[in-house]
Amino acid sequence: MFKTMIAPLFKNRKFLIGLSIFIIFILLGLLGPIVYNVDPTEMTWDFEQAPSSTHPLGTDTYGRDVLAQLFSGIRSSLYIGLIAAVISLVIGLLVGTFSAVKGGVVDDVLMSVTNVVLTTPSILIAILIASYLKVRSVEVIGLILGFFQWPWFARAIRAQLMSVMSREYVYLSKMAGYSDLKLIIEDLIPTIATYTFMSFVLFINGGIMGEAGLSLIGLGPTKGISLGIMLQWSTLMDAVRRGLWWWFVPPGVAIVAITASLLVLSTAMDEVFNPRLREE
Amino acid sequence: MSNSSKAFIKYIGRKLLFLVITYIISITIVFILPRVIPGNPLSQILSGLSRTGQSNPDAIRAAEKALMEQYGIGKPWYVQYFEFLGNAFKGDLGTSFTYYPRKATELIAPVIPWTLMLLLPATIVAWFLGNTLGAFAAYKRNSWFDKGVLTTSLIISQIPYYWLGMLLVFFFAVKLDWLPAQGAYSQGLIPSFTWEFIGDAAKHYVLPFLSIVISATGGWAVGTRLLVINELGSDYVRFAEYVGMREKTIFNYVYRNSLLPQITGLALSLGGALGGSLITEIVFNYPGTGYLLFKALTTLDYPLIQGTFVILIASIYLTNFFVDFIYALIDPRIRLGQEA
């Protein structure tokens, strides 16, 4: 498995670039708050300072250090992305696999639900749910976002499994008396593993983007700092029109860099695993 | 009646049924949410009301009355539900708290054109631009043009609409002072069909429009490029090449075939763009549905929040339906009753 699947990945230049950038941001999120030991929520009298040696990225309207906010923002945004991705992946896998394996009524019902969720703009339902919650933890935001981004994945999984199910070796396994579970684990899961991993990467991406959107309209986590909350404060305090670029540029750059690196990662995987896209 | 038109009617009928069902489901979500989220919905909403800074006791009492009416508190839940559903289909989505006694729909109707005017042209322009760029990049695969388009698109497609909007405002409105930074027209002007007003609105239109177009184009380009590359590897292309068909002719076929899935994508993205443009409107203080929703959220005006939600959802489903209709007209497989 290593030789056929993982080794070619590390020969792909795009994969390496994407992975490096993503790892840098993971390290910034994990180590940043420890190495740069400044409280991101502490208000000081040094407000709206441009970047200087005391505040490398300046301060906001409440005199809070922007660099410290950026580090903890990266940390919680990655965390929200991860939660959202795990939830979407689990729901998508369950729905897609059951639909394909069980067929019939189960398939019809699950696919109707999938189509309804797919056509409903998730950000709107997320806004509606978040508006009813007085206290919103980072985990709850990840949960809400994860709940709405699985449908395209479930559909793709179902389509792939349906084609696998019509192959001879699956018939053989069925004749050998495999249970549904054993069939799923031994014959079906390996065929969708790479696609699943690619989708996982995109789900993290979606979670991070979704958090930023929710936070910007005031429905993000009610405690702590995230990249979206930084953007929210800078919007509330009219930082753009007052030219305080050091406040709204860094969180945006971080969002774009993280999500773009994830997208590059997933396209690189697609190139490696999809023979039609392989560069000759 | 021919078989093909029968299949067509059946297809449209099924889509229409799906439209009604999804609308009922979304209204049901609006009905259920305040009831399943922990805490007594009424008391939670009322305490939210007093937090909005509404100190006038008459206004609070009026809102309370509106709430009781809207939710039919005290009646059995199923009666409440069907009343709610019936009202929603009649276009009555409750009475606003902040703008009492105006109905939510009365407040939403006048802002819808602003959103549509911003959203529809921007989405369609981005769709055409992205598809052309992506197809051309796939055609010139691995050239500098392809690599340039791909890299730029990948990065641009990851820039959130609203952040791009912030950057545009910063450079073109704050630093260069070329264009207005916010609003849909200058303060003091009254919307009318005069040259003065149209010119002023056009200036305000540029930045929000660009922020949506630029960020959406990248995504389309990446998608189309991939579809065209996949299509170029298919058997009929190999065959056409083998028999010596002209390259341009082959490419035209490939382009048309690759565009079909992008039409469904357009419908989905109109929905997604509505969500995205909500936030763009907030960044630009653009007086559309997004900005109204934002104001409703900051004052916890629940009927207005729900009303905006239901109307946005309805318009998205309707758009999807029309796109499905058009799709069936141009794709023979659907017209003949064999779905792709």
Side-chain angles (χ1 to χ4, degrees), chain B residues 66-83:
Chain B
L67 252 177
M68 298 288 271
E69 257 169 45
Q70 191 202 353
Y71 285 97
I73 308 275
K75 292 179 193 167
W77 66 268
Y78 50 90
V79 177
Q80 290 180 37
Y81 175 66
F82 284 108
E83 272 181 10

Side-chain angles (χ1 to χ4, degrees), chain A residues 120 131-132 216-217 241 248, chain B residues 44 163 282-283 302 306 317:
Chain A
T120 309
S131 71
Y132 281 113
L216 199 74
I217 49 178
R241 283 172 204 108
F248 66 88
Chain B
Q44 190 190 343
W163 190 64
I282 294 160
V283 169
Y302 282 105
Q306 294 170 350
Y317 290 150

